[in-house]
Amino acid sequence: MTDLADARAPWESRALRAREILRTEGPAAARIVVTVAVAWQFALWLGADQPPVFAAIVPLVALRGDPMTALGTSLQRALGVVAGVLIGIAVLNVLSPSTATLALVVAAGLGVGMVLRVGGGLNIQVAASSLLVFASTSPDAYALHRVWETAAGAAVTILLAPLLWPPDPHRILAVIAEDCRLCLTRALTGTAAALGAGPSAARDNLTLVDAHVEAVHANAARAREAERAMRFNPLRRRHRDTVRLQARNIATADGLTPHLTTLAREVAALSGREDLAPELARARRRLPELAALTAQAVEHLLSGRDPQPAVTPAREYVTAYVDADSRPLAVVLRRPFQQLLDDLDPPSLPTGETPSPT
């Protein structure tokens, strides 16, 4: 019986994984299918005498996550197609097809693609469209079909993307905020623990903190995308103020990362210094609690609560720490915490410490 249960476990795990993928990716796939079908039919209604493949391609490349991305990609593709077709026709009207002409067409397309970008990088659609015109046996007819079919597909994509299973920025930002909280908390508590764990552990902690910081940066970029998506998401307008607050809090959290990196670097530089052993021992007794109090303020921020009630006890602890130890090493280790607390809840009057010469 146990063997049978063990044999079933991998299949159950795969089934759960498949259901999770279907739940998360299914709506996006369904949105693409519906938009492709509508774009195809719309092009047929407009009089396409050949299968309107170009109209159907636009949703495939444009619908990659949120309505803002769909809008930008569709516009980028439509502009790129028009520019590429014009380049291809212009060159072929002057030069006969050859390897040199091909190189000229592609170079011109890439050059124009450097300018015709919509919130992204190089628009290679220009070069691709000009190359396809160059390879066609009937460039003029091909170019005309490609332009209007692509425009039809882009119009359908832009209109339907915000209405078909639109992403929920409120839910997405809640997940992002929780991930940021975990990264920042682990960076804080891990660095405090690394102070007394030896040079190797401090260096390893610095590597981990760098990874946490990169994760927070990536999350902040996703949060900005989710906030932008609200502008083109009529079905989620009731969450607009909440999403704006969530995005602002995540941006604030992203601004905390330089102080965490500084703290981790200071700990890595100080760990193992035999000449500072007594001062490091005193700091090891103070830093874990200060890190925990600061992490609680971060949690308040990213949960949408006012961080001030959590910042106050952390500031009081810093004040007590200042009174107990004014040595340069303590000042250096406290400063990132003070900067973190100032960013979480700016004081009415500037405060801070200036370390004594070492």
Side-chain angles (χ1 to χ4, degrees), residues 65-104:
D66 60 69
M68 183 61 190
T69 300
L71 174 62
T73 308
S74 297
L75 182 58
Q76 187 181 52
R77 181 174 175 81
L79 290 174
V81 167
V82 173
V85 165
L86 293 177
I87 290 172
I89 292 176
V91 172
L92 288 176
N93 282 334
V94 176
L95 302 173
S96 59
S98 67
T99 302
T101 306
L102 172 67
L104 177 61

Side-chain angles (χ1 to χ4, degrees), residues 1-324:
M1 197 64 158
T2 303
D3 293 341
L4 180 59
D6 291 342
R8 289 170 55 189
W11 290 102
E12 292 175 354
S13 176
R14 293 189 188 98
L16 288 173
R17 175 62 178 161
R19 283 197 295 270
E20 179 64 18
I21 292 174
L22 183 62
R23 186 183 68 81
T24 56
E25 303 293 340
R31 181 166 55 166
I32 293 173
V33 171
V34 172
T35 309
V36 165
V38 173
W40 179 285
Q41 187 60 49
F42 183 57
L44 291 176
W45 285 340
L46 291 178
D49 54 3
Q50 297 291 331
V53 176
F54 305 131
I57 287 176
V58 178
L60 287 174
V61 299
L63 293 177
R64 296 182 302 180
D66 60 69
M68 183 61 190
T69 300
L71 174 62
T73 308
S74 297
L75 182 58
Q76 187 181 52
R77 181 174 175 81
L79 290 174
V81 167
V82 173
V85 165
L86 293 177
I87 290 172
I89 292 176
V91 172
L92 288 176
N93 282 334
V94 176
L95 302 173
S96 59
S98 67
T99 302
T101 306
L102 172 67
L104 177 61
V105 166
V106 174
L110 292 175
V112 174
M114 296 178 187
V115 179
L116 284 181
R117 58 178 72 201
V118 183
L122 175 66
N123 187 351
I124 63 171
Q125 183 64 53
V126 183
S129 296
S130 61
L131 182 60
L132 291 172
V133 172
F134 179 87
S136 174
T137 56
S138 179
D140 292 340
Y142 175 87
L144 178 62
H145 282 290
R146 187 163 178 78
V147 168
W148 77 260
E149 287 181 10
T150 300
V156 170
T157 302
I158 291 170
L159 289 173
L160 290 185
L163 304 176
L164 294 174
W165 299 283
D168 185 351
H170 175 48
R171 180 181 59 80
I172 292 170
L173 287 175
V175 174
I176 291 174
E178 175 61 14
D179 190 57
C180 287
R181 184 193 68 79
L182 289 173
C183 289
L184 296 176
T185 298
R186 288 168 181 169
L188 275 168
T189 57
T191 300
L195 182 63
S200 177
R203 288 192 297 270
D204 291 342
N205 174 72
L206 178 57
T207 301
L208 287 175
V209 169
D210 287 339
H212 290 318
V213 166
E214 288 301 317
V216 173
H217 289 334
N219 281 331
R222 290 176 59 205
R224 290 191 293 271
E225 292 177 1
E227 185 183 19
R228 284 197 300 268
M230 286 296 292
R231 304 172 193 171
F232 302 90
N233 199 333
L235 302 184
R236 307 290 186 186
R237 293 177 68 88
R238 67 186 183 279
H239 290 148
R240 177 169 293 183
D241 292 339
T242 303
V243 164
R244 188 180 296 114
L245 175 62
Q246 288 174 306
R248 185 172 71 240
N249 289 343
I250 292 170
T252 300
D254 188 37
L256 304 177
T257 55
H259 310 315
L260 294 173
T261 302
T262 299
L263 179 63
R265 286 175 178 169
E266 295 290 0
V267 168
L270 294 170
S271 292
R273 290 276 301 271
E274 295 296 334
D275 56 319
L276 298 175
E279 295 183 41
L280 288 171
R282 282 189 289 269
R284 282 196 294 270
R285 292 193 293 268
R286 293 278 187 172
L287 243 57
E289 186 170 353
L290 180 54
L293 290 170
T294 307
Q296 189 173 11
V298 171
E299 181 179 359
H300 277 231
L301 172 77
L302 291 172
S303 65
R305 292 176 286 171
D306 181 7
Q308 195 274 332
V311 169
T312 298
R315 288 196 192 280
E316 292 173 352
Y317 191 88
V318 169
T319 301
Y321 191 4
V322 171
D323 294 339

